[in-house]
Amino acid sequence: MSGFRRQLPSMTSLVVFEAAARQLSFTRAAAELGITQAAVSRQVQALEQNLGFQLFRRLHRSIELTERGQILSKSMSEALGTITRTVQSLTAETSPGELVISASVAFSHFWLLPKISDFRRLHPEIRLKVISQDANVNLLREDVDIAIRYGEGNWGDGRAIMLFNDDIFPVCSPDYLAANGSPDCVADLIRHSLIVSDSPDPSWIGWDRWLNAFGHGAAPRNVALSCSFYTDAIHAAMRGEGIALGWNRLVHDLLQQNRLVRVSAESLRTREAYFVVLRNGHPIKPQVEAFLRWIRAERAQPGIAAPETAAALSEA
């Protein structure tokens, strides 16, 4: 049998293709790989020329995989996942105390990192690595022990353990409230300066869904500031720029510190929840077991309870 080098295209182009196929974006693949978007495009084009067929359809502002591209993408993800797991098993003894956790930027910033010192005091022997990014990592391919995700809990790359739901209500700074007064109702709330944030996750609840739950989805509103990240929206609210939606589990400490105040009795209970997700097909390491014990104890800690007058809803 002839060597793999004669049967396969460039491994570099195959790895670049796998990233572009998984991200469905040359730009995001370039950021992940640490190269330019033009370099990704050149590698994909070279691979397509070598294979003799297209792997992507180039649309106006996006790309999508062709049928052959989908087949190759699936094969590459499985192959790289197998290699990753093999390398991890062979090198496990060199880093037995490391625990790699992935979470969204907002969850890491507002919930995990403020509490993680307690875990480190309990387990000083465990080296922690926290990966903060809003796109879900692929647990079958990435070197991640635990992912903390928000959603319905049905991810194909891991086993999900529910942590908690959340309650969402408007928040602002004490200075903004003193200068502008407290809204009397939702109809009054939408006349205030609202801060919105984008999210690639369709299950994430923004102002549109929150207002719609209280019958004001179509009402005009005063959007004073739009942010790309939820963390920026909350920091803008703390600086007095307007009113943002506070996710109770994320802004709990800020409310306790009076850096934010709640401005409405209305509260929306999420249908989705936060989950710990463990990799499929892997034994649970002692570090993972220790983290699970700790986070289960943390989830039992009460959050800011909604007042009895709140219209707390569960989305259908």
Side-chain angles (χ1 to χ4, degrees), residues 11-67:
M11 286 304 299
T12 299
S13 64
L14 285 169
V15 171
V16 171
F17 160 74
E18 190 279 334
R22 176 166 35 83
Q23 298 277 8
L24 281 181
S25 166
F26 289 174
T27 301
R28 290 194 293 270
E32 175 184 313
L33 297 170
I35 59 179
T36 65
Q37 188 270 349
V40 172
S41 181
R42 286 195 298 270
Q43 288 290 341
V44 171
Q45 288 177 354
L47 180 60
E48 289 177 325
Q49 290 174 1
N50 185 289
L51 295 173
F53 52 80
Q54 275 197 323
L55 297 167
F56 293 99
R57 298 184 186 90
R58 278 73 166 175
L59 307 178
H60 177 53
R61 289 190 174 181
S62 62
I63 57 173
E64 65 179 23
L65 287 163
T66 63
E67 184 175 351

Side-chain angles (χ1 to χ4, degrees), residues 92 95-99 119 123 125-127 145-146 282-294:
S95 56
E98 185 176 57
L99 177 64
F119 176 78
H123 300 281
E125 76 284 1
I126 297 178
R127 297 190 304 276
D145 297 304
I146 292 173
H282 281 256
I284 298 181
K285 299 192 296 186
Q287 306 93 288
V288 173
E289 291 179 343
F291 184 83
L292 288 177
R293 288 194 299 270
W294 172 78

Side-chain angles (χ1 to χ4, degrees), residues 203-214:
S203 64
W204 185 263
I205 296 172
W207 276 112
D208 287 343
R209 288 177 63 187
W210 193 92
L211 290 169
N212 187 63
F214 297 97

Side-chain angles (χ1 to χ4, degrees), residues 167-169 248 262 264-269 303-313:
D167 296 291
I168 307 170
F169 43 76
N248 182 34
R262 181 171 176 170
S264 170
E266 288 79 11
S267 178
L268 182 64
R269 170 63 56 90
I304 300 294
E308 293 182 0
T309 56
L313 302 179

Side-chain angles (χ1 to χ4, degrees), residues 187-200:
D188 186 30
L189 171 68
I190 60 179
R191 290 193 287 270
H192 280 257
S193 298
L194 301 185
I195 302 172
V196 303
S197 61
D198 299 329
S199 174

Side-chain angles (χ1 to χ4, degrees), residues 66-80:
T66 63
E67 184 175 351
R68 289 179 172 180
Q70 292 174 3
I71 294 172
L72 182 59
S73 172
K74 182 175 183 295
S75 178
M76 281 299 302
S77 293
E78 292 173 351
L80 291 175

